[in-house]
Amino acid sequence: MITVFKPVKSIRTFEAISDQIRRQIETGVLQPGDKLPSDRELAVQFGVSRNSVREALRILESASILELQQGASGGAFILEGDGSNVSRSISDMMALKQISLQHVTEARVELMNVILRLACENADASDFELLEKNINTTRAAVETNDLELQMESTKDFYTIIAQSTKNPMYTLIVAPISEVVRRFVREAGIRIPIEVVKTREQLLQLLRDRDAEGAIAVLSAHLDTIHEAILHRSHH
């Protein structure tokens, strides 16, 4: 893989560098897992100082586009997009009081309504199998009181439903919202009761039956309950 960058002339040189790298990723010249040339080599290609290159790489790392690894086999590697930077943006805006938990919950409920409709149309046997395995994992996590596994399997549950729409945009949007809610649930010390597992089993059956309205009613009620529990705990 030979990636050739053009020299940049800009007041904010590091932005011009990061823009070129982003474009190479967008056009598929750079793929997830690819390693960029060394910062010395990049500085020569871009016709800039190594400091400008490092600044650009730091920006791309904070946007979860690159991972900078240390050591002999280290370097700058292109990451798979996972929406983690979106999750950070939502958290930052919540910290600045520009977004409330109410906003997140409303958006999540409406988004899941759309996703459930599409999942009822497009989900196939392999999606149902993944959901069934996920529910079994969650049940085991509840029975063994494994909070970390409860959190992980809950995030996976919503990701699997989003993936079953067969539209990757929904997976990308759901993941960061689930992550933000997961942080709240963890901070509030909420553990998953066995009733939640039963709710998910009910939801799976409704998806199998292609009953979108039924699935929406069950999940909306469940998400409202979670929201109330978080608010109740955070005010105590």
Side-chain angles (χ1 to χ4, degrees), residues 17-68:
I17 296 168
S18 60
D19 283 350
Q20 275 201 51
I21 294 172
R22 281 175 195 268
R23 274 198 296 277
Q24 296 271 22
I25 296 168
E26 283 164 15
T27 54
V29 176
L30 287 168
Q31 301 278 340
D34 285 349
K35 181 181 178 181
L36 289 178
S38 68
D39 54 4
R40 183 185 283 110
E41 208 176 316
L42 286 172
V44 171
Q45 284 193 38
F46 285 118
V48 298
S49 71
R50 284 172 73 180
N51 276 346
S52 294
V53 168
R54 286 180 189 139
E55 182 72 19
L57 296 181
R58 273 196 293 271
I59 287 171
L60 293 168
E61 183 182 37
S62 66
S64 301
I65 290 168
L66 290 182
E67 182 182 20
L68 301 177

Side-chain angles (χ1 to χ4, degrees), residues 118-136:
L118 283 171
C120 281
E121 287 174 29
N122 300 326
D124 54 36
S126 65
D127 298 313
F128 298 141
E129 196 180 324
L130 284 172
L131 284 169
E132 204 166 318
K133 277 185 187 163
N134 174 277
I135 291 167
N136 291 336

Side-chain angles (χ1 to χ4, degrees), residues 113-209:
N113 291 353
V114 175
I115 286 171
L116 287 172
R117 281 203 176 89
L118 283 171
C120 281
E121 287 174 29
N122 300 326
D124 54 36
S126 65
D127 298 313
F128 298 141
E129 196 180 324
L130 284 172
L131 284 169
E132 204 166 318
K133 277 185 187 163
N134 174 277
I135 291 167
N136 291 336
T137 301
T138 309
R139 186 187 292 102
V142 171
E143 285 165 359
T144 58
N145 213 9
D146 186 336
L147 189 58
E148 210 44 53
L149 186 57
Q150 289 175 28
M151 298 283 130
E152 201 55 45
S153 62
T154 294
K155 193 176 86 162
D156 291 346
F157 180 76
Y158 291 104
T159 300
I160 296 163
I161 292 178
Q163 285 170 343
S164 75
T165 65
K166 311 305 179 207
N167 181 336
M169 271 301 294
Y170 288 115
T171 313
L172 198 62
I173 299 167
V174 159
I177 295 178
S178 295
E179 181 57 38
V180 169
V181 173
R182 177 164 80 149
R183 281 181 216 155
F184 273 99
V185 168
R186 182 185 278 121
E187 281 163 24
I190 296 168
R191 292 179 182 277
I192 296 178
I194 202 71
E195 286 75 37
V196 170
V197 178
K198 289 172 184 162
T199 299
R200 289 182 192 167
E201 285 176 331
Q202 191 183 356
L203 197 60
L204 173 56
Q205 190 54 54
L206 290 162
L207 287 171
R208 285 188 199 273
D209 295 342

Side-chain angles (χ1 to χ4, degrees), residues 83-102:
S84 58
N85 50 334
V86 182
S87 156
R88 211 164 22 243
S89 298
I90 296 171
S91 296
D92 290 345
M93 288 184 78
M94 290 180 88
L96 295 167
K97 303 285 187 278
Q98 290 172 320
I99 294 179
S100 68
L101 182 60
Q102 183 69 38

